[in-house]
């Protein structure tokens, strides 16, 4: 009888054979936290940034796309800072910056995680039909991953790229999933008296209650999604 290979051993073998992918996954895991500390230490400098012309909106969106797409900052803190420093005037740049950041992060993840599915199907052939079903119809998978408060934006981009989910579908189904958390963070920044106060406000009980609800919703959705693919 053939011994089944665990998914963790498969992942370990993949990362051992793909050092670039290993570095990439470590990068998107730790760099947003480092970027947060850097941003919070430069709060006085950020107050000088103004949006007065169309070119300013374009520059703002492009800068956000690079920072978020390369996992240099977390999306929540960017939404907080945008709400606090720029208000509703900065929301279009935030929205389009998110869109472009999806493209940047997905492209990077696709380049680094070239043959992940091939190795997974080779080691775990029983997963192939389930995974292909989800990849062909990924609406709920993408939505519930994006809405989850425990799956960072940069990591989800790498995940979608590794699973070879079409980028157009990632954009189409992912944006609605991102909006709830984005609007909460943006609104918190909009009402705050300082960026540090805005960050502290994210720890208020009602904020935790919303995040807990989103977590449970995403867990339920992903569990239901996986059970339906097995049936």
């Amino acid at each position: 009888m053939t011994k089944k290979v665990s998914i963790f051993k498969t992942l370990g073998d993949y990362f051992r054979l793909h050092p670039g992918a290993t570095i990439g996954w470590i990068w998107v895991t730790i760099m947003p936290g480092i970027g947060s500390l850097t941003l919070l230490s430069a709060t006085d400098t950020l107050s000088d940034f103004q949006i007065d012309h169309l070119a300013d909106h374009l520059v703002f969106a492009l800068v956000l796309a690079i920072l978020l797409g390369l996992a240099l900052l977390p999306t929540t803190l960017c939404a907080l800072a945008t709400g606090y420093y720029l208000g509703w005037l900065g929301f279009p740049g935030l929205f389009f910056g998110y869109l472009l950041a999806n493209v940047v992060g997905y492209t990077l993840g696709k380049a680094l995680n070239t043959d992940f599915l091939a190795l997974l199907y080779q080691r775990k052939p029983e997963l192939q039909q389930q995974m292909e079903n989800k990849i062909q119809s990924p609406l709920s998978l993408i939505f519930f991953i994006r809405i989850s408060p425990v799956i960072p934006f940069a990591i989800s981009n790498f995940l979608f790229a590794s699973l070879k989910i079409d980028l157009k579908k990632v954009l189409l189904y992912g944006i609605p999933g991102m909006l709830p958390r984005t609007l909460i963070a943006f609104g918190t920044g909009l009402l705050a008296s300082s960026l540090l106060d805005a960050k502290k406000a994210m720890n208020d009980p009602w904020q935790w209650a919303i995040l807990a609800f989103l977590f449970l919703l995403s867990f339920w959705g992903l569990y239901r999604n996986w059970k339906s693919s097995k049936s």
Side-chain angles (χ1 to χ4, degrees):
M1 185 173 66
T2 304
K3 184 179 179 181
K4 288 188 177 182
V5 181
S6 73
I7 187 68
F8 298 105
K9 187 177 188 306
T10 300
L11 290 173
D13 291 342
Y14 178 79
F15 289 130
R16 179 173 54 83
L17 296 171
H18 298 78
T22 303
I23 295 172
W25 280 97
I26 294 174
W27 177 277
V28 299
T29 301
I30 67 173
M31 280 306 297
I34 297 174
S36 295
L37 296 176
T38 304
L39 179 64
L40 291 173
S41 67
T43 53
D44 293 336
T45 305
L46 292 173
S47 61
D48 296 331
F49 184 77
Q50 300 292 328
I51 290 183
D52 299 317
H53 307 286
L54 177 60
D56 298 330
H57 286 275
L58 295 176
V59 169
F60 177 56
L62 288 174
V63 170
L64 271 185
I66 294 172
L67 292 175
L68 296 175
L70 297 181
L72 296 174
L73 283 175
T75 54
T76 301
L77 187 57
C78 284
L80 273 171
T82 301
Y84 173 69
Y85 287 110
L86 301 175
W88 286 108
L89 191 63
F91 190 81
L94 176 68
F95 180 81
F96 288 106
Y98 274 13
L99 279 178
L100 293 174
N102 277 274
V103 178
V104 174
Y106 180 95
T107 303
L108 181 62
K110 186 176 181 180
L112 293 176
N113 299 281
T114 51
D115 57 352
F116 173 73
L117 277 184
L119 179 64
L120 180 64
Y121 293 161
Q122 179 185 355
R123 301 291 181 86
K124 305 281 289 183
E126 69 274 12
L127 292 179
Q128 183 167 358
Q129 187 61 52
Q130 299 173 35
M131 296 298 295
E132 288 180 350
N133 288 341
K134 294 297 101 183
I135 292 170
Q136 291 300 318
S137 302
L139 188 159
S140 60
L141 178 67
I142 297 172
F143 176 81
F144 286 115
I145 286 178
R146 283 296 199 214
I147 206 172
S148 172
V150 298
I151 303 178
F153 174 76
I155 290 180
S156 62
N157 280 331
F158 264 43
L159 179 61
F160 296 143
S162 301
L163 297 178
K164 296 184 179 180
I165 297 175
D166 186 68
L167 177 58
K168 293 180 181 178
K169 293 179 180 179
V170 173
L171 295 174
L172 181 62
Y173 306 141
I175 293 300
M178 288 176 59
L179 279 177
R181 286 190 298 152
T182 301
L183 289 172
I184 290 170
F186 180 84
T188 302
L190 194 67
L191 299 174
S193 58
S194 72
L195 185 60
L196 291 176
D197 286 342
K199 193 171 186 301
K200 291 178 181 177
M202 293 297 291
N203 293 320
D204 286 346
W206 70 272
Q207 293 272 16
W208 280 106
I210 294 175
L211 292 178
F213 171 75
L214 293 178
F215 170 76
L216 292 174
L217 179 64
S218 66
F219 179 83
W220 170 82
L222 292 172
Y223 177 78
R224 184 170 176 270
N225 183 277
W226 182 250
K227 293 294 287 186
S228 66
S229 69
K230 293 181 71 174
S231 62

